[in-house]
Amino acid sequence: MKSMRLFLLVCVLVFGPLANAQDVYVPQELSSWQEWVLHGHEYVACPVSGKVYRCVWPGRLNLNIDSQGGRFRQIVEVFDEQYFTLPGGDDSWPLDVTVDGKPAPVVKRGQRPVLFLEPGEHTIAGVFQWSRTPDTLLLGNGTGLLSLTIEDQSMARPRWNAREVWISQGLQTETQQAENQISVSVYRLVKDGAPVVVEVQLQIDIAGESREETIGQLVPPGFIPAAMEAPLPARLDDEGNLKIQARPGSWKFTFRALAPAPLERLVFTPGGEHWPTEEVWSYAAAPDIRATEIRAVNAVDPEQSGVPGFWGAYPAFQMHA
């Protein structure tokens, strides 16, 4: 059995860029087949959240509502051609819809208005007309940012969720708006093996208005991202930063990364305005593969440190920057 010492150290490093599809090596003899192989599977180049490919990144949805109807505008980034769901439904069908200033046909799929978008960044706009203002308005799938104006009154904290926004909610004043704040707690489970796996759980508490935020660099040095589950629209940029479309609430994110090459030590490097300066790490040995030794003086009680329940059987350590 191979013996190895695994050190938990604290030092400052710079995260490297994430690998992407363009970085994958393709032998010259096979390069001409690349487009043919990917035909019908172009979605594999889209960002992944959990087991779902997110081939569209909706920007902020701007809604301006009054008693006669309303207007909407939204910028979306599309990674693979697809149908995009618009706000509204049978009782509030979007009219005069344009994409990048040009009229675009809207069709019904699954009782919802959709339009077909090609890859790229697009600006979508349209209007609503009604004789009676609806109580709620259905939102497009994946919308994570919302600005709502009712009768020329900006809603400081609109009532909404991933499915719909409440229009009949009464006027609000700006004094009701909480200060924009984000609090992040990070727990990691290092699982020895072939390869070494790091699982990360983030508890993110958000106050204030809905907005896009960069939480920090999520991918550890020497690792590649493998999976992410997020309750809010989220993605990793080319530098490994976690970007989310934040809205008030308490949210739990989970992330997994793999080490493609053997490791002898791991480091904690906080990176980002909102990233905490300390984390709790748990360690799961793999004695059937090799013997490892933890050298750290900052051991903590998993239960008292808030370690996720299913990690409680492993030794835990408080990591400081």
Side-chain angles (χ1 to χ4, degrees):
M1 178 180 296
K2 180 182 178 181
S3 177
M4 184 190 77
R5 291 178 176 176
L6 182 65
F7 297 89
L8 295 184
L9 303 177
V10 177
C11 66
V12 178
L13 295 180
V14 178
F15 284 80
L18 295 178
N20 54 47
Q22 289 72 28
D23 296 329
V24 176
Y25 171 73
V26 178
Q28 185 176 359
E29 295 80 1
L30 300 178
S31 59
S32 60
W33 291 85
Q34 195 169 1
E35 184 176 351
W36 179 82
V37 170
L38 290 175
H39 180 69
H41 301 277
E42 292 82 0
Y43 62 86
V44 298
C46 301
V48 180
S49 178
K51 298 181 180 179
V52 179
Y53 289 93
R54 297 188 63 92
C55 292
V56 61
W57 182 256
R60 181 177 297 274
L61 174 63
N62 294 279
L63 284 175
N64 195 319
I65 304 297
D66 59 36
S67 60
Q68 303 299 315
R71 305 186 304 276
F72 69 91
R73 184 178 182 274
Q74 188 172 25
I75 298 176
V76 300
E77 185 177 359
V78 181
F79 301 96
D80 183 34
E81 60 182 25
Q82 64 178 278
Y83 285 96
F84 178 72
T85 304
L86 300 174
D90 286 335
D91 297 332
S92 50
W93 195 262
L95 306 172
D96 300 333
V97 174
T98 62
V99 175
D100 301 326
K102 299 178 181 179
V106 177
V107 299
K108 178 184 287 189
R109 297 187 66 182
Q111 305 303 311
R112 295 298 308 277
V114 301
L115 53 78
F116 187 78
L117 295 176
E118 298 284 350
E121 185 174 281
H122 304 286
T123 300
I124 302 171
V127 301
F128 300 106
Q129 291 182 358
W130 46 59
S131 56
R132 175 186 173 275
T133 305
D135 293 331
T136 63
L137 183 70
L138 294 175
L139 298 176
N141 295 339
T143 294
L145 301 175
L146 174 68
S147 292
L148 176 64
T149 299
I150 300 178
E151 301 291 352
D152 296 326
Q153 172 69 60
S154 176
M155 298 291 101
R157 299 185 64 182
R159 290 179 53 209
W160 66 295
N161 55 34
R163 173 177 168 79
E164 60 190 346
V165 56
W166 280 259
I167 297 177
S168 300
Q169 54 185 305
L171 296 181
Q172 300 170 310
T173 64
E174 292 296 328
T175 58
Q176 294 176 279
Q177 184 174 5
E179 181 182 356
N180 287 347
Q181 292 183 342
I182 289 184
S183 174
V184 182
S185 299
V186 181
Y187 301 89
R188 296 182 191 259
L189 173 62
V190 180
K191 300 172 69 175
D192 194 21
V196 174
V197 176
V198 169
E199 296 182 3
V200 185
Q201 185 175 113
L202 296 92
Q203 182 67 43
I204 305 180
D205 298 310
I206 302 170
E209 62 182 357
S210 62
R211 60 205 185 270
E212 183 163 304
E213 290 279 5
T214 299
I215 302 301
Q217 290 183 310
L218 181 58
V219 184
F223 284 77
I224 58 175
M228 180 168 64
E229 296 182 6
L232 300 174
R235 64 175 177 176
L236 298 176
D237 65 15
D238 291 339
E239 286 72 42
N241 292 304
L242 174 63
K243 293 180 176 292
I244 68 172
Q245 294 184 346
R247 67 172 181 264
S250 184
W251 315 95
K252 183 176 72 174
F253 292 71
T254 58
F255 174 77
R256 184 188 307 143
L258 310 175
L263 297 176
E264 291 191 356
R265 68 178 185 174
L266 296 171
V267 298
F268 168 42
T269 309
E273 177 185 357
H274 301 298
W275 207 266
T277 57
E278 59 182 38
E279 298 180 3
V280 177
W281 288 21
S282 301
Y283 179 68
D288 55 331
I289 296 179
R290 59 188 166 197
T292 59
E293 175 187 356
I294 297 295
R295 286 190 172 181
V297 297
N298 47 353
V300 295
D301 185 305
E303 183 175 353
Q304 294 184 0
S305 301
V307 170
F310 46 93
W311 298 354
Y314 305 120
F317 306 87
Q318 189 81 39
M319 304 300 294
H320 300 277

